[in-house]
Amino acid sequence: MAITSANQLELLQTAEAVAREKMIDPGLVVEAMEESLARAAKSRYGAEMDIRVKIDRKTGRATFTRVRTVVEDDGVENYQAQLTVEQARQFLPEPKVGDEIIDEVPPVDLGRIAAQSAKQVILQKVREAERDRQFEEFKDRIGTIINATVKREEYGNVIVDVGAGEAILRRNEKIGREAYRPGDRIRAYVKDVRRELRGPQIFLSRTAPEFMAELFKMEVPEIYEGVIEIKAVARDPGSRAKIAVISYDSSIDPVGACVGMRGSRVQAVVNELQGEKIDIIPWNQDMPTFLVNALQPAEVSKVVLDDEANKIEVVVPEEQLSLAIGRRGQNVRLASQLTGLAIDILTEEEESKRRQAEFDERTKLFVLALDLDEFFAQLLVAEGFRTLEEVAYVDQEDLLSIDGVDESTAQELQARARDHIEAERKKVLDRVRALGVEETLINFPGLTPPMIEALAQDGVKTLEDFATLADWELAGGWTEQDGQRVKDTGILEPFDLGLEEARDMVMSARVALGWVDPDDIEQDAREEAEGV
């Protein structure tokens, strides 16, 4: 194929035809042609030469040029494409570093191999341009629902036509055992749009909780207008889901609006989700109330919330237990996802037994440690005393308020409690020293002997070891794994150590070791308070 006047216009016509077909800029196709022709010319004139090709956008004429760049005298690495300032004087009157000497060279005839190579370059450039256009078009549509047509299925993944290219609905993003045939129309949620060297860039989902939220937004005008807000969604795709909604207009019932007349609105969403049953729940700022709603249709007797542990305990009647847990734990699992809390479900009988066991355990502790009779120990527990520390260091007035306790009895109780605590403290310190714990850690403020023993059993025996820990390693926390919240148990979590307290202790250790400047901590705190 020779670049002659006979086929110059054909270049432009080909470029425009490809651009129309692929819906990309014709200029990009022409640039790809220029690059492919330049590559073919280099194979003819020499790979070291800097050969460039320019195609006139009006006439289609291709101009081949050789470019040589002026460099420093000691900077010549390629004698075919570079020359020194002195060498350039025969071509330019006053050459400077960076100047270019451009000479036109005869066009080349493309042989069969060169023509094939040129075609590959053009196709590659076109594919890149196509992917870029597709990315630019869809990057702002993340989080929306699109309609698509099924093209084919590959290893369980569905490849769909989205009008301007292809998208992929992965096997794990399909609902249940959904099966599609070429030509089927589907709706899906745009979960992600990424630049990738090969394959689809648009990733769809029908199992994402956001897909359900967007479907409700399409079916319920009040959600679209912002009068009703979807606060949380939890799904077991294809089986069951829970959605929490709140209304900002007191005259509009959020649940009723989402259900619609005779269930028409929610039914439209259910049909799209292959019959997935949907519980619509009123959201409440009070977490225990919200949880009671989330566990519907089960009835709840009592809710105990532990804010620090991010955990909640629910007590239900015996006959409601299976309903609260749901089939294979589905109901409680969805309620946990919806509220973001770990939920323990107990029957009233189980809770009663557990409370009795705790009562008996505390009674036994006071009998043995304080040398009391069982009746008096039970009296202390009934009055709310749970630990020896509470007895030892509580205000004496709290003990005097108990029937039958006078001032001398209160003093004796506190003295026995303190003696027992001190004796136990000495035993624990003897054990931790035997484990090799250094005095710097033993004497560190805020750490009790049982805490130090727990640290030592976990391999933390020096202040340096302690200072390298993260706050969540001490106080515990939550991580996300495969879409599920997983609990990380902290070394000192059994001692009710909070994250903030753990963070302060670790920073104090780092300051004590000279790793951190206390002035920097104060500066950071000031900036955080000022919102910098």
Side-chain angles (χ1 to χ4, degrees):
M1 170 185 167
I3 306 300
T4 64
S5 58
N7 56 22
Q8 286 171 357
L9 285 173
E10 192 178 327
L11 281 174
L12 293 181
Q13 291 168 355
T14 303
E16 288 180 8
V18 171
R20 274 197 306 273
E21 180 186 346
K22 301 295 184 180
M23 297 173 63
I24 59 177
D25 182 3
L28 293 174
V29 182
V30 173
E31 286 176 13
M33 290 178 168
E34 290 172 341
E35 185 177 328
S36 64
L37 291 172
R39 186 176 295 187
K42 282 185 180 181
S43 65
R44 165 77 179 275
Y45 289 113
E48 293 81 12
M49 288 191 180
D50 184 1
I51 303 292
R52 302 178 191 178
V53 178
K54 189 72 176 173
I55 297 176
D56 190 292
R57 292 330 193 242
K58 293 181 179 179
T59 64
R61 181 177 182 274
T63 304
F64 290 70
T65 55
R66 176 192 181 187
V67 179
R68 287 175 288 175
T69 305
V70 180
V71 297
E72 299 283 356
D73 289 348
D74 57 351
V76 177
E77 296 177 356
N78 180 357
Y79 289 97
Q80 297 291 347
Q82 297 172 330
L83 68 172
T84 64
V85 174
E86 189 60 39
Q87 292 170 338
R89 292 190 192 283
Q90 56 184 310
F91 304 104
L92 298 172
E94 294 183 9
K96 300 186 296 296
V97 173
D99 286 348
E100 292 182 339
I101 299 167
I102 302 173
D103 301 313
E104 189 168 342
V105 296
V108 298
D109 292 336
L110 296 184
R112 184 178 60 83
I113 295 176
Q116 190 67 25
S117 174
K119 182 180 178 182
Q120 289 299 322
V121 171
I122 293 171
L123 289 175
Q124 178 64 26
K125 284 287 184 182
V126 168
R127 278 195 293 268
E128 288 175 4
E130 205 174 1
R131 282 197 292 268
D132 286 343
R133 177 194 54 74
Q134 189 175 336
F135 177 80
E136 292 299 324
E137 183 175 338
F138 280 90
K139 68 178 181 181
D140 296 325
R141 296 181 67 179
I142 295 175
T144 64
I145 291 177
I146 62 171
N147 295 308
T149 305
V150 175
K151 292 184 73 174
R152 63 188 182 279
E153 192 165 346
E154 297 176 352
Y155 307 107
N157 303 322
V158 179
I159 309 300
V160 299
D161 184 355
V162 290
E166 291 183 348
I168 184 170
L169 179 66
R170 294 190 187 278
R171 185 188 325 178
N172 61 335
E173 299 291 349
K174 295 192 295 183
I175 297 173
R177 298 181 179 275
E178 282 183 330
Y180 297 104
R181 291 175 298 180
D184 285 352
R185 299 280 295 171
I186 66 169
R187 282 201 287 184
Y189 178 79
V190 182
K191 192 173 183 180
D192 195 13
V193 179
R194 298 199 297 262
R195 289 186 186 273
E196 291 197 348
L197 294 176
R198 300 178 64 184
Q201 295 174 295
I202 305 166
F203 298 90
L204 306 180
S205 174
R206 284 175 55 80
T207 61
E210 297 86 355
F211 181 47
M212 175 183 286
E214 288 298 311
L215 287 172
F216 269 103
K217 189 182 292 185
M218 294 168 69
E219 295 294 337
V220 183
E222 291 87 348
I223 296 177
Y224 181 79
E225 292 164 3
V227 178
I228 294 173
E229 182 185 354
I230 297 172
K231 299 291 285 186
V233 181
R235 290 182 66 192
D236 192 348
S239 177
R240 192 169 176 189
K242 291 179 183 286
I243 180 169
V245 292
I246 185 173
S247 173
Y248 295 112
D249 185 336
S250 57
S251 65
I252 295 177
D253 171 26
V255 175
C258 291
V259 172
M261 188 71 70
R262 296 180 181 176
S264 58
R265 291 175 174 176
V266 70
Q267 193 57 47
V269 178
V270 168
N271 292 341
E272 179 63 43
L273 299 177
Q274 306 294 319
E276 192 170 314
K277 294 176 183 175
I278 302 172
D279 296 334
I280 303 172
I281 296 158
W283 186 83
N284 197 298
Q285 192 170 4
D286 179 59
M287 191 55 71
T289 304
F290 179 35
L291 181 63
V292 170
N293 295 338
L295 281 170
Q296 291 176 2
E299 295 176 7
V300 176
S301 303
K302 189 194 299 182
V303 174
V304 181
L305 176 64
D306 185 344
D307 283 319
E308 286 189 2
N310 212 29
K311 180 180 174 183
I312 204 158
E313 198 173 81
V314 177
V315 181
V316 298
E318 182 73 39
E319 67 275 9
Q320 293 286 317
L321 180 62
S322 60
L323 193 59
I325 294 174
R327 186 182 176 193
R328 297 177 182 172
Q330 186 184 65
N331 193 52
V332 69
R333 184 172 66 251
L334 290 175
S336 179
Q337 290 175 18
L338 201 69
T339 58
L341 294 169
I343 302 173
D344 286 340
I345 294 187
L346 303 172
T347 63
E348 291 173 341
E349 185 181 351
E350 286 172 337
E351 191 221 10
S352 176
K353 286 181 179 177
R354 196 194 67 179
R355 288 192 176 280
Q356 186 61 47
E358 288 176 355
F359 187 89
D360 293 343
E361 186 181 344
R362 289 168 186 166
T363 299
K364 186 179 179 182
L365 169 68
F366 291 151
V367 167
L368 296 174
L370 302 179
D371 193 22
L372 301 175
D373 62 54
E374 188 172 352
F375 174 77
F376 200 92
Q378 288 176 345
L379 189 61
L380 281 177
V381 177
E383 287 293 331
F385 289 94
R386 297 177 303 168
T387 65
L388 289 172
E389 283 76 13
E390 288 179 1
V391 176
Y393 303 111
V394 76
D395 193 295
Q396 202 173 93
E397 293 298 323
D398 292 337
L399 289 170
L400 293 174
S401 64
I402 301 174
D403 288 342
V405 176
D406 55 22
E407 190 171 338
S408 62
T409 305
Q411 289 174 350
E412 178 63 22
L413 276 174
Q414 290 195 312
R416 290 183 187 182
R418 288 168 184 163
D419 287 346
H420 189 276
I421 290 169
E422 185 57 35
E424 286 299 313
R425 181 178 181 278
K426 187 175 183 308
K427 287 179 185 176
V428 174
L429 287 177
D430 289 342
R431 288 200 298 269
V432 299
R433 287 189 174 102
L435 288 171
V437 177
E438 292 186 1
E439 292 297 319
T440 51
L441 187 61
I442 291 173
N443 297 323
F444 185 71
L447 290 178
T448 63
M451 286 181 175
I452 298 167
E453 186 173 28
L455 288 167
Q457 289 169 349
D458 208 76
V460 180
K461 299 181 181 181
T462 68
L463 193 59
E464 287 82 357
D465 294 340
F466 184 79
T468 59
L469 295 173
D471 50 10
W472 61 267
E473 289 181 283
L474 290 172
W478 294 84
T479 54
E480 194 86 13
Q481 291 182 11
D482 300 325
Q484 299 291 323
R485 298 175 78 250
V486 178
K487 183 74 176 70
D488 291 318
T489 304
I491 303 171
L492 302 183
E493 193 171 347
F495 303 94
D496 294 328
L497 186 74
L499 267 177
E500 190 172 340
E501 189 180 354
R503 192 176 303 122
D504 290 343
M505 290 177 72
V506 169
M507 290 306 295
S508 297
R510 292 171 184 174
V511 169
L513 291 166
W515 295 0
V516 177
D517 188 336
D519 293 337
D520 292 341
I521 298 175
E522 290 180 15
Q523 178 66 23
D524 291 343
R526 281 197 300 271
E527 290 179 356
E528 187 175 341
E530 294 167 1
V532 176

